[in-house]
Every structure is written in C-alpha cells, then in structure tokens.
Amino acid sequence: MNRRPLLFALSGAGVVIALGTIAVLVGHEDRPKPDPHLTGAALMATALPDTDGRRQSFAQWQGKVLVLNFWATWCGPCKEELPMLARLAPELAKDGVQVIGIAADSRQNVANFVQKVPISYPSLIGDAGAIELSIRLGNRLGALPFTVFVDRKGDVVYRKVGKVDEEEVVKMSSIAAKNQ
C-alpha cells in the first residue's frame, strides 16, 4: 500500500467529514502513528532550511514555547490564518513563545509568497518532508493546516488539524507556557 501522506486543506465541517471517510477508505490504520519520542531532544535536533536555504535547528528555540504551524502556499485555509499568526507572533514573543511556519512547499514558492504576504516569524521549508514531520507530531490525516503547541520542555501539549483562530492560539500558548 502507498504510505505517502494525503494532503488536504481543511476549512469546513463537510470537508472534515469527507476527510474522515477518505482516511478510512485509504487505509488510515496503515498511517504512521505519532512518534512519542519526537519531543524534547529529538525535536530540538531537527533542522530545516529557511527561505534563504540556510538550515535552522529547532535547538535555537530551546526553552521557548513553540507554535509550529504547518502550511503551504496552495492551501486556502493556511493563507487565511497566516495574517493572524503574523500579527500575534511579536506579542507572543514577549512571553517566550516562538511561532514557526513549516511549509509543505518548495523554497521558491515560499520565498515568492512571503514577498507578497509578509510573515513576522521564521518560515522553514519542509517540502514533502513537512507532512511526514507533522505526522510524527500527531497529524494522523496528513492534512493542512496543522498546528502544534510545544511546551518549554519539548512536549506537545496541543494539536489542531485545520485552521486555528486567534483565541485558540493565545489560550494554548498560555497553557503551554504554564506547563512545567
């Protein structure tokens, strides 16, 4: 069976129901399970290139709360949530929260996109490997957008498949920051 992740953009309840049905039909049980060891040191050892092609290690953000937002330039709901994340990122940074975009897209597509839509936080390039990383972090559907909140110890405290809203980002960032 082909184990490559299916990519979906989630925006409405009907899409979620359809995705659930499709996931069952394509062998959802065969999908990789979240990797319980992809926390702490293992997550901090992960490195991805930025839009300039320089590898960025997650270790540079060790000790911070991380909001990892998996997205793509072709994903409508992803593009809808990016301005909100860009607006919130500087405020969250004051509390030790680092928003990081992880694009399931090519470096050139992301570089072109961020010239038109400025992003106030690091955007890393994962290409197809971004989806695999998201699955290891608990994205069982391999869907976009997907957001993970990681506490200061490197433990995942919340996962969201689909678009996040401002209230949710603020609340979950606060919960992750308090998780010791």
Side-chain angles (χ1 to χ4, degrees), residues 7 71-75 102-111 113 124-131 144:
L7 300 177
W71 69 287
T73 62
W74 47 262
C75 167
I102 302 173
D105 213 324
S106 72
R107 186 178 71 77
Q108 190 60 53
N109 286 348
V110 174
F113 181 84
L124 306 180
I125 312 302
D127 284 316
I131 297 300
L144 294 175

Side-chain angles (χ1 to χ4, degrees), residues 57-164:
S57 171
F58 285 90
Q60 68 186 299
W61 299 297
Q62 189 159 359
K64 292 187 177 203
V65 170
L66 302 180
V67 178
L68 307 178
N69 179 254
F70 292 83
W71 69 287
T73 62
W74 47 262
C75 167
C78 300
K79 293 189 291 187
E80 290 172 13
E81 73 184 1
L82 285 176
M84 176 270 299
L85 289 170
R87 189 178 73 257
L88 280 181
E91 285 301 312
L92 293 172
K94 294 175 185 175
D95 295 323
V97 177
Q98 179 64 59
V99 177
I100 302 168
I102 302 173
D105 213 324
S106 72
R107 186 178 71 77
Q108 190 60 53
N109 286 348
V110 174
N112 291 342
F113 181 84
V114 299
Q115 285 181 348
K116 297 174 193 163
V117 181
I119 297 175
S120 62
Y121 51 87
S123 190
L124 306 180
I125 312 302
D127 284 316
I131 297 300
E132 185 62 36
L133 177 59
S134 79
I135 289 170
R136 291 181 66 202
L137 287 166
N139 183 2
R140 295 195 52 175
L141 294 176
L144 294 175
F146 176 68
T147 305
V148 178
F149 294 79
V150 180
D151 69 13
R152 296 180 199 287
K153 298 177 291 186
D155 295 330
V156 173
V157 296
Y158 184 71
R159 298 170 180 90
K160 170 77 181 266
V161 175
K163 195 167 82 170
V164 291

